[in-house]
Amino acid sequence: MNQSDWRERNRPARLERRLSFADYDHTRDFLEDMAGVSERLGYYPDISFGRTHVSITIHAEDGAECVDPARRALAGEVDALFARSQGASS
């Protein structure tokens, strides 16, 4: 997980990141790939999106005071997916 790209928040504990894309097609492709990651890991973060951006919030487990390693690993998967999507658009 690239710490500088994720914002760690409290009350409730969560990680947030906003990703920008060149156009809607790239945004849609990322969202489709993100769905596969979520299915594979069995965790579904909150996602909102617009034409050229995606905002992701990964919440800590209910009642937890911090984000656990498994959810941080999901953030790392998002980072890798985003990096691949940016390489494909170059």
Side-chain angles (χ1 to χ4, degrees):
M1 177 178 99
N2 187 343
Q3 287 289 89
S4 65
D5 294 329
W6 288 90
R7 297 186 77 158
E8 192 147 0
R9 304 288 192 174
N10 297 314
R11 297 186 198 122
R14 65 196 182 277
L15 299 171
E16 298 175 340
R17 184 166 182 198
R18 181 181 169 106
L19 308 167
S20 296
F21 298 89
D23 55 36
Y24 179 72
D25 288 336
H26 287 100
T27 303
R28 188 187 67 234
D29 290 344
F30 176 84
L31 289 169
E32 289 175 4
D33 292 342
M34 186 65 215
V37 169
S38 290
E39 287 289 329
R40 181 170 47 80
L41 297 178
Y43 181 75
Y44 303 89
D46 291 342
I47 299 174
S48 60
F49 65 95
R51 185 176 171 273
T52 60
H53 73 274
V54 173
S55 295
I56 300 175
T57 302
I58 300 173
H59 291 276
E61 193 170 343
D62 287 341
E65 292 184 19
C66 61
V67 178
D68 63 62
R71 286 174 170 78
R72 289 182 186 280
L74 172 61
E77 295 262 355
V78 171
D79 290 343
L81 184 61
F82 181 63
R84 285 192 303 272
S85 75
Q86 296 303 290
S89 65
S90 301

